[in-house]
Amino acid sequence: MTAPAETETLGLVRLLAACRDDATALASALDQLGIAICLYDPDDRVVLWNESYLTFFPEQRDAIAPGTPYADTLRRFFGVNLADTQRDRLERHVEAAVQRHRTQTAPFTFQLRTGRWLKVASLPMPAGGRVRLWRDTSEEQPATTRRSADRALASLDVGYAVFDGAGRFVTANKRYQELFPGIGDLIGAASSYRDHLARIERDSVLEEDRARLARVAARPLPTALPVSLPLLLRHVEGGWLSLEERVGEDGTLVAIWSDATRQVEADARIGELERHLRDAVEAIPHALLMFDRDGRLLLRNRRLAAIDQRLARALDATPTLARYAAWRAGFGDVTADDAIRGEEEVVLPDRRTVAIAPLTTDAGEFLLLLSDVTREKAAEAELARQKDLAHQNEKLAAMGSLLAGVAHELNNPLAVVVARALLLEEQIADPQAGAAVRVLRQAAERCAGIVRTFLAIARAKPRERRPLALGTVLSAVADILAYGLGADDIAIEIAPVPESAVIEAEEDALHQLFLNLLVNAQHALRGAARPRRITVTVAVAGGSVEIVVADNGPGVPAAIRGRIFEPYFTTKQQGEGTGIGLSVCHAIVTAHGGMIAVDDAPGGGARFTVRLPQAEAAAAAGSPQRGAAGAMRGRVLVVDDEADITDVIGEILARQGLEVTVARDGMQALLHLEEAPCDLVITDLRMPGMDGAGLLARIAERPPAVRPPVIVLTGDVLSWSRARPDFDPPPLVIEKPFDPAALAQAVREALARRHA
């Protein structure tokens, strides 16, 4: 069976179909029944409507017209009646309603946002199109439903009071009276909304907030400007009250009051947490940028301006991820599309290094952390340089030990050659043979000089200054570099050095000074055009010795001359230099009271000028005079594992009238000393078994009356300086290769002290 309401609706549809030509009259007739009607053509476009339709749906009044698509009327309807949380789904609601309009035949009931209930029927017309009929069924809602609604409203945790369009009190719930106990005499009486607000202001609101509530009460028409946002007021007993107002379509006003203490406290905690978060974001030592999924800038801290002010200003103007990407692409090694990638480091125009770390949050926001790591990079570079320097020092130390060992092995045969050559020169009367022996001796002495220079660089004894002939030092350094300079096709010219060019200096430091200067010139000339040339000139004037080392290479640019003597500053390629050579030169010259400077050499190239104080002595001590100075008497014990050395020493001492006993190591020497005392011990240091240092330690244990003086004859001065024993009187030290005359003179002095 068909329900009465449905029968009535079907009857109206049949009536509309029968009176289609006079539909306007029918629509007017339905207005008298309070029924809204809207007729649509087969394309779902509006054909006609009545005034009741506009009463039910006032949002359509200024927009509806014949031919308006049904979907457009739905958009206006949902724009007014959808909950705020559903506004982003408006089109989905429109699409679903259109489908219902085309297919649904059974009437259904729905509620407007104003609270009114409407029942609607949607039925097809016989000739095509559809008709929709609405009628107000609010009064037809079951009484039990209204009672349930009243009970639900009364149980709400908010207090509400209802006032009619004239502002007169209508009703209130229990919670309203609990919030404001003193308002009971206004409930049920002929009171106004303004009376209620005045009572609440007097009894419940803290004095500091009363003026705010008084301004709300003073509105001439509260319904024209309702309090839609919560008005927070402090309660006289502590805590907070919140007031909101809602106005119905008939002018009814609902005042909604609630205890907002928890909300305010929660908001305060949230505000405090936000402040802590802001403080934390500002305190981190990085610039922070946060972008949402659409690339909009959400958050940044002040640190960004310290990283790069240009980027900070750019993001002020255009706060987007694309603007950051354009800034990053400005460094030239990436495009804007590829500017957001993994962790990287970029160098800014002011040479600062910035590390960039991209991160993504769980919610999909994009984070960028920018850090100025210039100091860290400099520290890393400095650490790398220190490691390289330590490595170089280790190599130099190893080289020094190697040089000492090589020097010892070379010095023994060189000592034999030099000594034998000198003895032969004294014995040979033939001038031609004597000249040949002299050439042999000079070659051996040249080799010995080179070995001594190596040892001067490598020795590790306490530094002692003594007068040094500059010509001898320069010649020795040139001998060391001769092969390398020749291999690079570089000619070295050392002008005659005045005999007065004597400097009181540390011998090894002076060798290192000129070795570094000449090596520096050699490196500069390697890529220069031929002929390649280094010139060294020495002049003495005004108590100073001036040494000029010049080359015809590319020279030193004026822009870097102020830094050329800084530690680690170098213009050489990676791996070709450490940048410490010239700084060491500067330190040596300064330590000796001199100065060093660089400028352009005449004709091109670099010119280094060194000025050092002249020694008080006019010249270095000369070599001992050869030849006999009277016969000596005594017994000498010679200790050396090299038979050639002991043979030549024995021959030299025998010519001086001395008795010589030979021992091959320290233990054999001690046995000889036990068998017969001696007047002097000449010992080598490096020997198998007991070495020279061990022998000296055993001799030092003897009483002074039977303790013979000692001469240490060694080609390994480095080991002697490290292992020198406590011996009184201190032994004389003669380096191999030795001059026979110098050895004889040392023996004479030692025996003289012994006899004294």
Side-chain angles (χ1 to χ4, degrees), residues 426-649:
E426 295 176 359
Q427 295 173 359
I428 295 177
D430 183 0
Q432 186 174 359
V437 173
R438 189 161 45 254
V439 170
L440 177 64
R441 175 181 59 80
Q442 290 172 347
E445 287 179 341
R446 181 183 176 191
C447 292
I450 293 173
V451 171
R452 278 194 297 270
T453 302
F454 277 129
L455 285 175
I457 295 173
R459 71 179 59 192
K461 67 178 183 179
R463 295 185 173 183
E464 300 173 355
R465 295 189 182 185
R466 61 187 180 87
L468 298 171
L470 196 56
T472 303
V473 173
L474 291 174
S475 296
V477 172
D479 286 341
I480 292 177
L481 296 177
Y483 178 79
L485 293 173
D488 288 333
D489 197 14
I490 299 172
I492 182 169
E493 302 173 4
I494 300 179
V497 180
E499 292 184 3
S500 58
V502 178
I503 299 170
E504 187 168 345
E506 301 166 6
E507 186 173 1
D508 54 346
L510 206 60
H511 279 84
Q512 187 173 5
L513 167 65
F514 294 111
L515 190 65
N516 286 357
L517 289 176
L518 292 176
V519 167
N520 190 69
Q522 179 185 4
H523 286 173
L525 287 169
R526 280 177 178 167
R530 292 176 174 82
R532 302 167 183 164
R533 176 178 73 255
I534 300 174
T535 60
V536 182
T537 59
V538 180
V540 180
S544 295
V545 178
E546 182 179 272
I547 307 97
V548 177
V549 179
D551 62 67
N552 63 339
V556 179
I560 65 171
R561 288 178 190 168
R563 301 188 60 196
I564 198 73
F565 297 110
E566 292 181 7
Y568 309 115
F569 179 82
T570 179
T571 58
K572 300 182 179 72
Q573 297 295 324
Q574 181 71 26
E576 292 186 4
T578 61
I580 63 173
L582 290 177
S583 67
V584 169
C585 291
H586 185 273
I588 291 173
V589 171
T590 303
H592 285 78
M595 58 81 63
I596 183 171
V598 60
D599 62 353
D600 293 328
R607 178 173 63 181
F608 286 84
T609 302
V610 177
R611 289 190 181 90
L612 293 169
Q614 184 183 17
E616 294 183 2
S623 299
Q625 296 296 320
R626 297 188 182 93
M632 292 181 282
R633 294 180 181 178
R635 180 172 177 267
V636 179
L637 175 61
V638 178
V639 188
D640 199 307
D641 60 319
E642 295 278 349
D644 292 338
I645 295 292
T646 56
D647 289 347
V648 73
I649 293 175

Side-chain angles (χ1 to χ4, degrees), residues 180-372:
F180 309 114
I183 211 166
D185 60 327
L186 298 180
I187 301 296
S191 58
S192 67
Y193 184 40
R194 189 170 296 179
D195 294 336
H196 282 245
L197 292 179
R199 182 66 59 84
I200 294 171
E201 174 191 338
R202 186 194 71 184
D203 295 345
S204 302
V205 176
L206 204 63
E207 185 175 357
E208 288 83 349
D209 286 352
R210 290 176 182 173
R212 298 172 59 206
L213 187 58
R215 287 193 293 271
V216 171
R219 292 171 297 170
L221 292 174
T223 57
L225 190 64
V227 179
S228 57
L229 296 177
L231 175 66
L232 294 175
L233 304 165
R234 281 169 289 185
H235 199 284
V236 292
E237 296 179 358
W240 292 80
L241 294 169
S242 171
L243 169 63
E244 296 181 66
E245 296 175 346
R246 295 289 183 268
V247 178
E249 62 181 14
D250 60 351
T252 301
L253 183 142
V254 181
I256 304 171
W257 290 88
S258 60
D259 185 343
T261 304
R262 291 185 178 180
Q263 176 188 342
V264 172
E265 290 175 349
D267 290 343
R269 287 194 295 271
I270 292 173
E272 186 176 3
L273 289 175
E274 289 177 346
R275 180 177 59 80
H276 290 326
L277 177 61
R278 286 194 301 271
D279 292 343
V281 168
E282 294 296 342
I284 63 175
H286 314 284
L288 182 144
L289 297 172
M290 176 184 281
F291 300 90
D292 64 15
R293 293 183 177 183
D294 296 324
R296 294 185 295 265
L297 182 63
L298 298 176
L299 179 66
R300 57 178 277 193
N301 61 359
R302 291 191 297 268
R303 181 69 179 166
L304 181 65
I307 296 292
D308 192 331
Q309 291 186 354
R310 295 184 303 115
L311 176 58
R313 289 193 295 268
L315 291 176
D316 286 338
T318 312
T320 63
L321 183 60
R323 188 64 190 86
Y324 164 80
W327 169 83
R328 173 62 188 89
F331 296 104
D333 55 343
V334 295
T335 63
D337 294 337
D338 193 36
I340 309 301
R341 51 187 187 181
E343 294 187 12
E344 59 177 342
E345 292 179 353
V346 297
V347 180
L348 301 182
D350 59 4
R351 308 308 299 167
R352 288 184 300 123
T353 302
V354 173
I356 302 174
L359 303 168
T360 303
T361 68
D362 292 340
E365 291 94 352
F366 185 70
L367 278 176
L368 283 169
L369 295 177
L370 288 76
S371 310
D372 187 340

Side-chain angles (χ1 to χ4, degrees), residues 84 153 167 233 478 705:
D84 293 340
L153 289 173
L233 304 165

Side-chain angles (χ1 to χ4, degrees), residues 158-177:
V158 297
Y160 72 86
V162 182
F163 301 86
D164 63 17
R168 293 185 294 267
F169 174 77
V170 176
T171 186
N173 69 346
K174 181 181 179 181
R175 181 60 176 158
Y176 180 72
Q177 299 180 61

